[in-house]
Coordinates of all heavy atoms in Angstrom, one line a residue:
M14 N -125.7 7.4 26.7 CA -126.7 6.6 26.1 C -128.1 7.2 26.2 O -129.0 6.9 25.4 CB -126.7 5.2 26.7 CG -125.9 4.2 26.0 SD -126.1 4.0 24.2 CE -124.6 3.4 23.7
K15 N -128.3 8.0 27.3 CA -129.6 8.6 27.5 C -130.0 9.4 26.3 O -131.2 9.4 25.9 CB -129.6 9.4 28.8 CG -131.0 9.8 29.2 CD -131.0 10.4 30.6 CE -132.4 10.4 31.1 NZ -132.5 10.8 32.5
D16 N -129.0 10.1 25.7 CA -129.3 10.9 24.5 C -129.7 10.0 23.3 O -130.6 10.4 22.6 CB -128.0 11.7 24.1 CG -127.6 12.7 25.1 OD1 -128.5 13.2 25.8 OD2 -126.4 13.1 25.2
K17 N -129.2 8.8 23.2 CA -129.6 7.9 22.2 C -131.0 7.5 22.3 O -131.8 7.4 21.4 CB -128.7 6.7 22.2 CG -128.9 5.8 21.0 CD -128.4 6.4 19.7 CE -128.4 5.4 18.6 NZ -128.1 6.0 17.3
V18 N -131.4 7.2 23.6 CA -132.8 6.8 23.9 C -133.7 8.0 23.5 O -134.8 7.8 22.9 CB -133.0 6.4 25.4 CG1 -134.5 6.3 25.7 CG2 -132.2 5.2 25.7
T19 N -133.3 9.2 23.9 CA -134.1 10.4 23.6 C -134.3 10.6 22.1 O -135.4 10.9 21.6 CB -133.5 11.6 24.2 OG1 -133.4 11.4 25.6 CG2 -134.3 12.9 24.0
Q20 N -133.2 10.4 21.4 CA -133.2 10.5 19.9 C -134.2 9.5 19.3 O -135.0 9.9 18.4 CB -131.8 10.3 19.3 CG -131.7 10.4 17.8 CD -130.3 10.0 17.3 OE1 -129.4 9.8 18.0 NE2 -130.2 9.9 16.0
I21 N -134.1 8.3 19.7 CA -135.0 7.2 19.2 C -136.4 7.5 19.5 O -137.3 7.4 18.6 CB -134.6 5.8 19.7 CG1 -133.2 5.4 19.1 CG2 -135.6 4.8 19.4 CD1 -132.6 4.2 19.8
M22 N -136.7 7.9 20.7 CA -138.0 8.3 21.1 C -138.6 9.4 20.3 O -139.7 9.4 19.8 CB -138.1 8.6 22.6 CG -137.8 7.5 23.5 SD -139.1 6.2 23.6 CE -140.4 7.1 24.4
D23 N -137.8 10.5 20.0 CA -138.2 11.6 19.2 C -138.5 11.2 17.8 O -139.5 11.6 17.2 CB -137.1 12.7 19.2 CG -137.0 13.5 20.5 OD1 -137.9 13.4 21.3 OD2 -135.9 14.1 20.7
E24 N -137.7 10.3 17.2 CA -137.9 9.8 15.9 C -139.2 9.0 15.8 O -140.0 9.1 14.9 CB -136.8 9.0 15.4 CG -135.5 9.8 15.1 CD -134.4 8.9 14.6 OE1 -134.6 7.8 14.0 OE2 -133.2 9.3 14.9
W25 N -139.4 8.2 16.9 CA -140.7 7.4 17.0 C -141.9 8.3 17.1 O -142.9 8.1 16.3 CB -140.6 6.5 18.2 CG -141.7 5.6 18.4 CD1 -142.1 4.6 17.5 CD2 -142.6 5.5 19.5 NE1 -143.2 3.9 18.1 CE2 -143.5 4.5 19.3 CE3 -142.7 6.3 20.7 CZ2 -144.5 4.2 20.2 CZ3 -143.7 5.9 21.6 CH2 -144.6 4.9 21.3
Y26 N -141.8 9.4 17.9 CA -143.0 10.3 18.0 C -143.2 11.0 16.7 O -144.4 11.1 16.3 CB -142.7 11.4 19.1 CG -142.9 10.9 20.5 CD1 -141.9 11.0 21.4 CD2 -144.2 10.5 20.9 CE1 -142.1 10.6 22.8 CE2 -144.4 10.1 22.2 CZ -143.3 10.2 23.2 OH -143.6 9.8 24.4
T27 N -142.2 11.4 16.0 CA -142.3 12.1 14.7 C -143.0 11.1 13.7 O -143.9 11.5 13.0 CB -141.0 12.5 14.2 OG1 -140.4 13.4 15.1 CG2 -141.1 13.2 12.8
A28 N -142.5 9.9 13.6 CA -143.1 8.9 12.7 C -144.5 8.6 13.0 O -145.4 8.5 12.1 CB -142.3 7.6 12.7
M29 N -144.8 8.5 14.3 CA -146.2 8.3 14.7 C -147.1 9.5 14.3 O -148.2 9.3 13.8 CB -146.3 8.0 16.2 CG -145.5 6.8 16.7 SD -146.2 5.2 16.1 CE -147.4 5.0 17.4
D30 N -146.6 10.7 14.6 CA -147.4 11.9 14.2 C -147.6 12.0 12.7 O -148.7 12.3 12.3 CB -146.6 13.1 14.8 CG -147.4 14.4 14.7 OD1 -148.6 14.3 15.1 OD2 -146.9 15.4 14.2
K31 N -146.6 11.7 11.9 CA -146.8 11.8 10.5 C -147.8 10.8 10.0 O -148.4 11.0 8.9 CB -145.4 11.5 9.8 CG -144.5 12.6 9.8 CD -143.2 12.3 9.1 CE -142.2 13.5 9.2 NZ -140.9 13.1 8.6
N32 N -148.0 9.7 10.7 CA -148.9 8.7 10.3 C -150.3 8.8 11.0 O -151.1 7.9 11.0 CB -148.3 7.3 10.5 CG -147.3 7.0 9.5 OD1 -147.6 6.8 8.3 ND2 -146.0 7.0 9.9
N33 N -150.4 9.9 11.7 CA -151.7 10.2 12.4 C -152.0 9.2 13.5 O -153.2 8.8 13.6 CB -152.8 10.4 11.4 CG -153.5 11.7 11.5 OD1 -153.0 12.6 12.3 ND2 -154.5 11.9 10.7
I34 N -151.0 8.7 14.1 CA -151.2 7.7 15.2 C -150.9 8.3 16.5 O -149.9 8.9 16.7 CB -150.2 6.5 15.0 CG1 -150.5 5.8 13.6 CG2 -150.4 5.5 16.1 CD1 -149.4 4.8 13.2
S35 N -151.9 8.2 17.4 CA -151.7 8.8 18.7 C -150.9 7.8 19.6 O -151.0 6.6 19.4 CB -153.0 9.1 19.4 OG -153.8 8.0 19.6
V36 N -150.2 8.3 20.6 CA -149.4 7.4 21.4 C -149.9 7.6 22.9 O -150.0 8.7 23.4 CB -147.9 7.9 21.4 CG1 -147.1 7.0 22.3 CG2 -147.4 7.8 19.9
Q37 N -150.2 6.5 23.5 CA -150.6 6.6 24.9 C -149.4 6.8 25.7 O -148.4 6.2 25.5 CB -151.4 5.3 25.3 CG -152.7 5.1 24.6 CD -153.4 3.9 25.1 OE1 -153.0 3.2 26.0 NE2 -154.6 3.7 24.5
P38 N -149.5 7.6 26.8 CA -148.3 7.8 27.6 C -147.7 6.5 28.2 O -146.5 6.4 28.3 CB -148.9 8.7 28.8 CG -150.1 9.3 28.2 CD -150.6 8.4 27.2
K39 N -148.5 5.6 28.6 CA -148.0 4.3 29.1 C -147.1 3.6 28.1 O -146.1 3.0 28.4 CB -149.2 3.4 29.6 CG -148.7 2.2 30.3 CD -148.2 2.6 31.7 CE -147.9 1.3 32.5 NZ -147.3 1.6 33.8
A40 N -147.6 3.6 26.8 CA -146.8 3.0 25.7 C -145.4 3.6 25.6 O -144.4 3.0 25.4 CB -147.6 3.0 24.4
S41 N -145.4 4.9 25.7 CA -144.1 5.7 25.6 C -143.2 5.3 26.8 O -142.0 5.1 26.6 CB -144.4 7.2 25.7 OG -145.2 7.6 24.6
T42 N -143.8 5.2 28.0 CA -143.0 4.9 29.2 C -142.4 3.5 29.0 O -141.2 3.3 29.2 CB -143.9 4.9 30.4 OG1 -144.4 6.2 30.6 CG2 -143.1 4.5 31.7
I43 N -143.2 2.5 28.5 CA -142.7 1.1 28.4 C -141.6 1.1 27.3 O -140.6 0.5 27.5 CB -143.9 0.2 28.0 CG1 -144.8 0.1 29.2 CG2 -143.4 -1.2 27.6 CD1 -146.1 -0.6 29.0
L44 N -141.8 1.8 26.2 CA -140.8 1.8 25.1 C -139.5 2.4 25.7 O -138.4 1.9 25.4 CB -141.3 2.6 23.9 CG -140.3 2.7 22.8 CD1 -139.9 1.4 22.3 CD2 -140.9 3.6 21.7
G45 N -139.6 3.5 26.4 CA -138.4 4.2 27.0 C -137.7 3.3 27.9 O -136.4 3.2 27.9
I46 N -138.4 2.5 28.7 CA -137.7 1.6 29.7 C -137.0 0.5 28.9 O -135.9 0.1 29.2 CB -138.8 1.0 30.6 CG1 -139.2 2.0 31.6 CG2 -138.2 -0.2 31.4 CD1 -140.4 1.6 32.5
I47 N -137.7 -0.1 27.9 CA -137.1 -1.2 27.1 C -135.8 -0.6 26.4 O -134.8 -1.3 26.4 CB -138.1 -1.8 26.1 CG1 -139.2 -2.5 26.9 CG2 -137.4 -2.7 25.1 CD1 -140.4 -2.9 26.1
L48 N -135.9 0.5 25.7 CA -134.8 1.1 25.0 C -133.6 1.3 26.0 O -132.5 1.0 25.7 CB -135.2 2.4 24.3 CG -136.0 2.3 23.1 CD1 -136.5 3.6 22.6 CD2 -135.3 1.6 22.0
S49 N -133.9 1.9 27.1 CA -132.9 2.2 28.1 C -132.2 0.9 28.6 O -131.0 0.9 28.7 CB -133.5 2.9 29.3 OG -133.9 4.2 29.0
K50 N -133.0 -0.1 28.8 CA -132.5 -1.4 29.3 C -131.5 -1.9 28.3 O -130.4 -2.3 28.6 CB -133.6 -2.4 29.5 CG -133.1 -3.8 29.9 CD -134.2 -4.8 30.0 CE -133.6 -6.1 30.3 NZ -134.6 -7.2 30.1
H51 N -131.9 -2.0 27.0 CA -131.0 -2.6 26.0 C -129.9 -1.7 25.5 O -128.8 -2.2 25.2 CB -131.9 -3.0 24.8 CG -132.8 -4.2 25.1 ND1 -132.3 -5.5 25.3 CD2 -134.1 -4.2 25.4 CE1 -133.3 -6.2 25.6 NE2 -134.4 -5.5 25.7
L52 N -130.1 -0.4 25.5 CA -129.0 0.5 25.1 C -128.1 0.8 26.2 O -126.9 1.3 25.9 CB -129.6 1.8 24.5 CG -130.4 1.6 23.2 CD1 -131.1 2.9 22.8 CD2 -129.6 1.0 22.1
N53 N -128.5 0.7 27.4 CA -127.6 1.1 28.5 C -127.1 -0.1 29.3 O -126.5 0.1 30.4 CB -128.4 2.0 29.5 CG -128.7 3.3 28.9 OD1 -128.0 3.8 28.1 ND2 -129.9 3.8 29.2
E54 N -127.2 -1.3 28.8 CA -126.7 -2.5 29.6 C -125.3 -2.4 30.0 O -124.9 -2.7 31.1 CB -127.0 -3.8 28.8 CG -128.4 -4.2 28.9 CD -128.7 -5.5 28.1 OE1 -127.9 -5.8 27.3 OE2 -129.8 -6.1 28.4
H55 N -124.5 -1.8 29.1 CA -123.0 -1.7 29.5 C -122.8 -0.5 30.4 O -121.7 -0.5 31.1 CB -122.2 -1.6 28.2 CG -122.4 -0.3 27.5 ND1 -123.5 -0.1 26.7 CD2 -121.7 0.9 27.5 CE1 -123.5 1.1 26.2 NE2 -122.4 1.7 26.7
A56 N -123.7 0.4 30.5 CA -123.5 1.6 31.3 C -123.9 1.4 32.8 O -123.5 2.2 33.6 CB -124.3 2.8 30.7
G57 N -124.6 0.4 33.1 CA -125.1 0.2 34.4 C -125.7 -1.1 34.6 O -126.2 -1.7 33.7
D58 N -125.7 -1.6 35.9 CA -126.3 -2.9 36.1 C -127.7 -2.7 36.5 O -128.3 -1.6 36.6 CB -125.5 -3.6 37.2 CG -125.4 -2.9 38.5 OD1 -126.3 -2.1 38.8 OD2 -124.5 -3.1 39.3
A59 N -128.4 -3.9 36.8 CA -129.8 -3.9 37.1 C -130.1 -3.1 38.4 O -131.1 -2.4 38.5 CB -130.3 -5.3 37.2
Y60 N -129.2 -3.2 39.3 CA -129.4 -2.5 40.6 C -129.4 -0.9 40.4 O -130.2 -0.2 41.0 CB -128.4 -2.9 41.6 CG -128.6 -2.3 43.0 CD1 -129.7 -2.6 43.8 CD2 -127.8 -1.3 43.5 CE1 -130.0 -2.1 45.0 CE2 -128.0 -0.7 44.8 CZ -129.1 -1.1 45.5 OH -129.3 -0.5 46.7
E61 N -128.5 -0.5 39.6 CA -128.4 0.9 39.3 C -129.7 1.4 38.6 O -130.2 2.4 38.9 CB -127.2 1.2 38.4 CG -127.0 2.7 38.1 CD -125.8 3.0 37.2 OE1 -124.9 2.2 37.1 OE2 -125.8 4.0 36.5
R62 N -130.1 0.6 37.6 CA -131.4 0.9 37.0 C -132.6 0.9 38.0 O -133.4 1.8 37.9 CB -131.7 0.0 35.8 CG -130.7 0.1 34.7 CD -131.0 -0.6 33.4 NE -131.7 -1.9 33.6 CZ -131.0 -3.1 33.5 NH1 -129.7 -3.1 33.3 NH2 -131.7 -4.2 33.7
Y63 N -132.5 -0.1 38.9 CA -133.6 -0.2 39.9 C -133.6 1.1 40.8 O -134.6 1.7 41.0 CB -133.3 -1.4 40.8 CG -133.9 -1.4 42.1 CD1 -135.3 -1.8 42.3 CD2 -133.2 -1.0 43.3 CE1 -135.9 -1.8 43.5 CE2 -133.9 -1.0 44.5 CZ -135.2 -1.4 44.6 OH -135.8 -1.4 45.9
M64 N -132.4 1.6 41.2 CA -132.3 2.8 42.0 C -132.8 4.0 41.3 O -133.2 5.0 42.0 CB -130.9 2.9 42.5 CG -130.4 1.9 43.5 SD -131.4 1.8 45.0 CE -130.9 3.3 45.8
N65 N -132.7 4.0 40.0 CA -133.1 5.2 39.2 C -134.4 5.1 38.5 O -134.8 6.0 37.7 CB -132.0 5.5 38.2 CG -130.7 5.9 38.8 OD1 -130.7 6.9 39.6 ND2 -129.6 5.2 38.6
T66 N -135.2 4.1 38.8 CA -136.5 4.0 38.2 C -137.6 4.7 39.1 O -137.6 4.5 40.3 CB -136.9 2.5 38.1 OG1 -136.0 1.8 37.3 CG2 -138.3 2.3 37.6
R67 N -138.4 5.5 38.4 CA -139.4 6.3 39.1 C -140.5 5.3 39.5 O -140.8 4.3 38.9 CB -140.0 7.4 38.2 CG -139.0 8.5 38.0 CD -139.6 9.5 37.1 NE -139.6 9.0 35.8 CZ -140.0 9.6 34.7 NH1 -140.5 10.8 34.8 NH2 -140.1 9.0 33.5
A68 N -141.2 5.7 40.6 CA -142.3 4.8 41.1 C -143.3 4.4 40.1 O -143.8 3.3 40.0 CB -142.9 5.5 42.3
G69 N -143.7 5.4 39.3 CA -144.7 5.1 38.3 C -144.3 4.2 37.2 O -145.1 3.6 36.5
D70 N -143.0 4.0 37.0 CA -142.4 3.1 36.0 C -141.9 1.8 36.6 O -141.5 1.0 35.8 CB -141.2 3.8 35.3 CG -141.5 5.1 34.7 OD1 -142.7 5.3 34.3 OD2 -140.7 6.0 34.5
F71 N -142.0 1.7 37.9 CA -141.4 0.5 38.5 C -142.0 -0.8 38.1 O -141.3 -1.8 37.8 CB -141.5 0.6 40.0 CG -140.8 -0.5 40.7 CD1 -139.4 -0.4 40.8 CD2 -141.4 -1.6 41.2 CE1 -138.7 -1.5 41.4 CE2 -140.7 -2.6 41.8 CZ -139.3 -2.6 41.9
D72 N -143.3 -0.9 38.0 CA -143.9 -2.2 37.6 C -143.4 -2.7 36.3 O -143.0 -3.9 36.1 CB -145.5 -2.1 37.6 CG -146.1 -3.4 37.4 OD1 -145.8 -4.4 38.2 OD2 -147.0 -3.6 36.5
A73 N -143.4 -1.8 35.3 CA -142.9 -2.2 33.9 C -141.4 -2.6 34.0 O -141.0 -3.5 33.4 CB -143.2 -1.1 32.9
F74 N -140.7 -1.8 34.8 CA -139.2 -2.0 34.9 C -139.0 -3.4 35.5 O -138.2 -4.2 35.0 CB -138.6 -1.0 35.8 CG -137.3 -1.4 36.3 CD1 -136.1 -1.4 35.5 CD2 -137.1 -1.8 37.6 CE1 -134.9 -1.9 36.0 CE2 -135.9 -2.2 38.1 CZ -134.8 -2.3 37.3
W75 N -139.7 -3.7 36.6 CA -139.5 -5.0 37.3 C -139.9 -6.2 36.4 O -139.2 -7.2 36.4 CB -140.3 -5.0 38.6 CG -139.9 -6.2 39.5 CD1 -140.7 -7.3 39.7 CD2 -138.7 -6.3 40.3 NE1 -140.0 -8.1 40.6 CE2 -138.8 -7.6 40.9 CE3 -137.6 -5.5 40.4 CZ2 -137.8 -8.0 41.8 CZ3 -136.6 -6.0 41.3 CH2 -136.7 -7.2 41.9
K76 N -140.9 -6.0 35.7 CA -141.3 -7.1 34.8 C -140.3 -7.3 33.6 O -140.3 -8.4 33.1 CB -142.7 -6.8 34.2 CG -143.8 -7.0 35.2 CD -145.2 -6.6 34.6 CE -146.3 -6.8 35.7 NZ -147.6 -6.3 35.2
S77 N -139.6 -6.3 33.3 CA -138.6 -6.4 32.2 C -137.3 -7.1 32.7 O -136.5 -7.5 31.8 CB -138.2 -5.0 31.7 OG -137.4 -4.3 32.6
L78 N -137.1 -7.3 34.0 CA -135.9 -8.0 34.4 C -136.0 -9.5 34.3 O -137.0 -10.1 34.5 CB -135.7 -7.6 35.9 CG -135.4 -6.2 36.3 CD1 -135.2 -6.0 37.8 CD2 -134.2 -5.6 35.5
S79 N -134.8 -10.1 34.1 CA -134.8 -11.5 34.1 C -134.7 -12.0 35.5 O -134.5 -11.2 36.4 CB -133.5 -12.0 33.4 OG -132.3 -11.6 34.1
T80 N -134.9 -13.3 35.7 CA -134.9 -13.9 37.1 C -133.6 -13.6 37.7 O -133.5 -13.2 38.9 CB -135.2 -15.4 37.0 OG1 -136.5 -15.6 36.4 CG2 -135.2 -16.0 38.4
S81 N -132.5 -13.8 37.0 CA -131.2 -13.6 37.6 C -130.9 -12.1 37.9 O -130.3 -11.8 39.0 CB -130.0 -14.0 36.7 OG -130.0 -13.4 35.5
E82 N -131.5 -11.2 37.1 CA -131.4 -9.7 37.4 C -132.2 -9.4 38.7 O -131.7 -8.6 39.5 CB -131.9 -8.9 36.3 CG -130.9 -8.8 35.1 CD -131.5 -8.1 33.9 OE1 -132.7 -8.3 33.6 OE2 -130.8 -7.3 33.3
K83 N -133.4 -10.0 38.8 CA -134.2 -9.8 40.0 C -133.4 -10.3 41.3 O -133.4 -9.6 42.3 CB -135.5 -10.5 39.9 CG -136.5 -9.8 38.9 CD -137.8 -10.6 38.8 CE -138.7 -9.9 37.8 NZ -139.9 -10.6 37.5
E84 N -132.8 -11.5 41.2 CA -132.1 -12.0 42.3 C -130.9 -11.1 42.7 O -130.6 -10.9 43.8 CB -131.6 -13.4 42.0 CG -132.7 -14.4 41.9 CD -132.2 -15.8 41.4 OE1 -131.1 -15.9 40.9 OE2 -133.1 -16.7 41.3
Y85 N -130.2 -10.6 41.6 CA -129.1 -9.7 41.9 C -129.6 -8.4 42.6 O -129.0 -7.9 43.6 CB -128.4 -9.3 40.5 CG -127.4 -8.3 40.7 CD1 -126.2 -8.6 41.3 CD2 -127.6 -7.0 40.2 CE1 -125.2 -7.6 41.5 CE2 -126.6 -6.0 40.3 CZ -125.4 -6.3 40.9 OH -124.4 -5.4 41.1
V86 N -130.7 -7.8 42.1 CA -131.2 -6.6 42.7 C -131.6 -6.9 44.2 O -131.3 -6.1 45.1 CB -132.5 -6.1 42.0 CG1 -133.2 -5.0 42.7 CG2 -132.1 -5.5 40.6
E87 N -132.2 -8.0 44.4 CA -132.6 -8.4 45.8 C -131.4 -8.5 46.7 O -131.3 -8.1 47.8 CB -133.5 -9.6 45.9 CG -134.9 -9.4 45.3 CD -135.7 -8.4 46.1 OE1 -135.5 -8.4 47.4 OE2 -136.4 -7.7 45.5
S88 N -130.3 -9.1 46.2 CA -129.1 -9.3 47.0 C -128.5 -8.0 47.3 O -127.9 -7.7 48.4 CB -128.1 -10.2 46.3 OG -127.5 -9.6 45.2
M89 N -128.5 -7.1 46.3 CA -127.9 -5.7 46.5 C -128.7 -4.9 47.5 O -128.2 -4.1 48.3 CB -127.8 -5.0 45.2 CG -126.7 -5.6 44.2 SD -125.1 -5.6 44.9 CE -124.7 -3.9 45.0
R90 N -130.1 -5.1 47.5 CA -130.9 -4.4 48.4 C -130.6 -4.9 49.8 O -130.5 -4.1 50.8 CB -132.4 -4.7 48.1 CG -132.9 -3.9 46.9 CD -134.4 -4.2 46.7 NE -135.2 -3.7 47.8 CZ -136.2 -4.4 48.4 NH1 -136.5 -5.5 47.9 NH2 -136.8 -3.9 49.4
E91 N -130.5 -6.2 50.0 CA -130.1 -6.8 51.3 C -128.8 -6.2 51.8 O -128.6 -5.9 53.0 CB -130.1 -8.3 51.2 CG -131.5 -8.9 51.1 CD -131.4 -10.4 50.9 OE1 -130.4 -11.0 51.3 OE2 -132.4 -11.0 50.4
K92 N -127.8 -6.2 50.9 CA -126.5 -5.6 51.2 C -126.6 -4.2 51.7 O -126.0 -3.8 52.7 CB -125.5 -5.8 50.0 CG -124.1 -5.3 50.3 CD -123.3 -5.5 49.1 CE -121.9 -4.9 49.3 NZ -121.1 -4.9 48.1
A93 N -127.3 -3.4 50.9 CA -127.5 -2.0 51.3 C -128.2 -1.8 52.6 O -127.8 -0.9 53.4 CB -128.2 -1.2 50.2
R94 N -129.2 -2.6 52.9 CA -129.9 -2.6 54.1 C -128.9 -2.9 55.3 O -128.9 -2.3 56.3 CB -131.1 -3.5 54.1 CG -131.9 -3.5 55.4 CD -133.1 -4.5 55.3 NE -133.9 -4.4 56.4 CZ -135.0 -3.7 56.5 NH1 -135.5 -3.0 55.5 NH2 -135.7 -3.6 57.6
A95 N -128.2 -4.0 55.1 CA -127.2 -4.4 56.2 C -126.2 -3.3 56.4 O -125.9 -3.0 57.6 CB -126.5 -5.7 55.7
E96 N -125.7 -2.7 55.4 CA -124.7 -1.6 55.5 C -125.3 -0.4 56.2 O -124.7 0.2 57.1 CB -124.2 -1.2 54.2 CG -123.2 -2.2 53.6 CD -122.8 -1.8 52.2 OE1 -123.1 -0.8 51.6 OE2 -122.1 -2.7 51.6
F97 N -126.6 -0.1 55.9 CA -127.3 1.0 56.6 C -127.4 0.8 58.1 O -127.0 1.6 58.9 CB -128.7 1.1 56.0 CG -129.6 2.2 56.7 CD1 -129.5 3.5 56.4 CD2 -130.4 1.8 57.7 CE1 -130.2 4.4 57.1 CE2 -131.2 2.7 58.4 CZ -131.1 4.0 58.1
Y98 N -127.8 -0.4 58.5 CA -128.0 -0.7 59.9 C -126.6 -0.8 60.6 O -126.4 -0.2 61.7 CB -128.7 -2.0 60.1 CG -130.2 -1.8 60.1 CD1 -130.9 -2.0 58.9 CD2 -130.9 -1.4 61.2 CE1 -132.3 -1.8 58.8 CE2 -132.3 -1.2 61.1 CZ -133.0 -1.4 59.9 OH -134.3 -1.2 59.9
S99 N -125.6 -1.4 60.0 CA -124.3 -1.6 60.5 C -123.6 -0.2 60.7 O -123.0 0.0 61.8 CB -123.5 -2.4 59.6 OG -122.1 -2.5 60.1
S100 N -123.7 0.7 59.8 CA -123.0 2.0 59.8 C -123.6 2.9 61.0 O -123.0 3.8 61.4 CB -123.1 2.7 58.5 OG -124.4 3.1 58.2
R101 N -124.8 2.5 61.4 CA -125.4 3.3 62.5 C -125.5 2.6 63.8 O -126.1 3.0 64.8 CB -126.9 3.7 62.0 CG -126.9 4.7 60.9 CD -128.2 4.8 60.2 NE -128.2 5.8 59.2 CZ -127.6 5.7 58.0 NH1 -126.9 4.7 57.7 NH2 -127.6 6.7 57.1
G102 N -124.8 1.4 63.8 CA -124.7 0.6 65.1 C -126.1 0.1 65.5 O -126.4 -0.1 66.7
M103 N -127.0 -0.1 64.5 CA -128.3 -0.6 64.8 C -128.5 -2.0 64.4 O -127.7 -2.6 63.7 CB -129.3 0.3 63.9 CG -129.3 1.7 64.3 SD -130.2 2.8 63.0 CE -131.8 2.1 63.1
T104 N -129.5 -2.6 64.9 CA -129.9 -4.0 64.7 C -131.1 -4.1 63.8 O -132.1 -3.4 64.1 CB -130.1 -4.8 66.0 OG1 -128.9 -4.7 66.8 CG2 -130.4 -6.3 65.7
D105 N -131.1 -4.9 62.7 CA -132.2 -5.0 61.9 C -133.1 -6.2 62.4 O -132.7 -7.3 62.2 CB -131.8 -5.3 60.4 CG -132.9 -5.5 59.5 OD1 -134.1 -5.3 59.9 OD2 -132.6 -5.8 58.3
H106 N -134.1 -5.8 63.1 CA -135.0 -6.8 63.7 C -135.9 -7.5 62.7 O -136.6 -8.5 63.1 CB -135.8 -6.2 64.9 CG -134.9 -5.7 66.0 ND1 -134.3 -6.6 66.8 CD2 -134.6 -4.5 66.3 CE1 -133.6 -5.8 67.7 NE2 -133.8 -4.6 67.4
S107 N -135.9 -7.1 61.5 CA -136.9 -7.6 60.5 C -136.2 -8.8 59.7 O -136.8 -9.4 58.9 CB -137.4 -6.6 59.5 OG -136.3 -6.1 58.7
S108 N -134.9 -9.0 60.0 CA -134.2 -10.1 59.3 C -134.8 -11.4 59.6 O -135.3 -11.6 60.7 CB -132.7 -10.1 59.5 OG -132.5 -10.4 60.9
K109 N -134.9 -12.3 58.6 CA -135.5 -13.6 58.8 C -134.5 -14.7 59.1 O -133.9 -15.2 58.3 CB -136.3 -13.9 57.6 CG -137.4 -12.9 57.3 CD -138.0 -13.1 55.9 CE -139.1 -12.1 55.7 NZ -139.0 -11.4 54.5
E110 N -134.3 -14.9 60.4 CA -133.4 -15.9 60.9 C -134.2 -17.0 61.6 O -135.1 -16.7 62.4 CB -132.4 -15.4 61.8 CG -131.5 -14.4 61.1 CD -130.4 -13.8 62.1 OE1 -130.2 -14.4 63.2 OE2 -129.8 -12.8 61.8
L111 N -133.9 -18.2 61.3 CA -134.6 -19.3 62.0 C -133.9 -19.5 63.4 O -132.7 -19.5 63.6 CB -134.4 -20.6 61.2 CG -135.1 -20.6 59.9 CD1 -134.8 -21.9 59.1 CD2 -136.6 -20.5 60.0
L112 N -134.8 -19.7 64.4 CA -134.3 -19.9 65.7 C -134.1 -21.4 65.9 O -134.9 -22.2 65.5 CB -135.3 -19.4 66.8 CG -135.6 -17.9 66.7 CD1 -136.7 -17.6 67.7 CD2 -134.3 -17.1 67.0
K113 N -133.0 -21.8 66.5 CA -132.7 -23.2 66.8 C -133.3 -23.5 68.2 O -133.2 -22.7 69.1 CB -131.2 -23.5 66.8 CG -130.6 -23.3 65.4 CD -129.1 -23.6 65.4 CE -128.5 -23.4 64.0 NZ -127.1 -23.8 64.0
G114 N -133.9 -24.6 68.3 CA -134.5 -24.9 69.6 C -134.5 -26.4 69.9 O -134.1 -27.3 69.3

């Protein structure tokens, strides 16, 4: 699907150029993220897209997620963190647990 996104972006750039319209880099980034999201939904989940989003594109990516996708990403992050600590025999002292008293 990445090739499809590239093809669409190339056609868009060509059409914009023929019409003498300049494209701001940020607009291109946002369009690429949106196209990838909609064209690649079957190829990967929100967490996979999260893991492959560059830092400069993260804000637009995060804003493009639905509430349920954000919740899913957060749950997968927590799972990955727990697995990281567990596999190393370490304790995650930053976990938020209420103390009973």
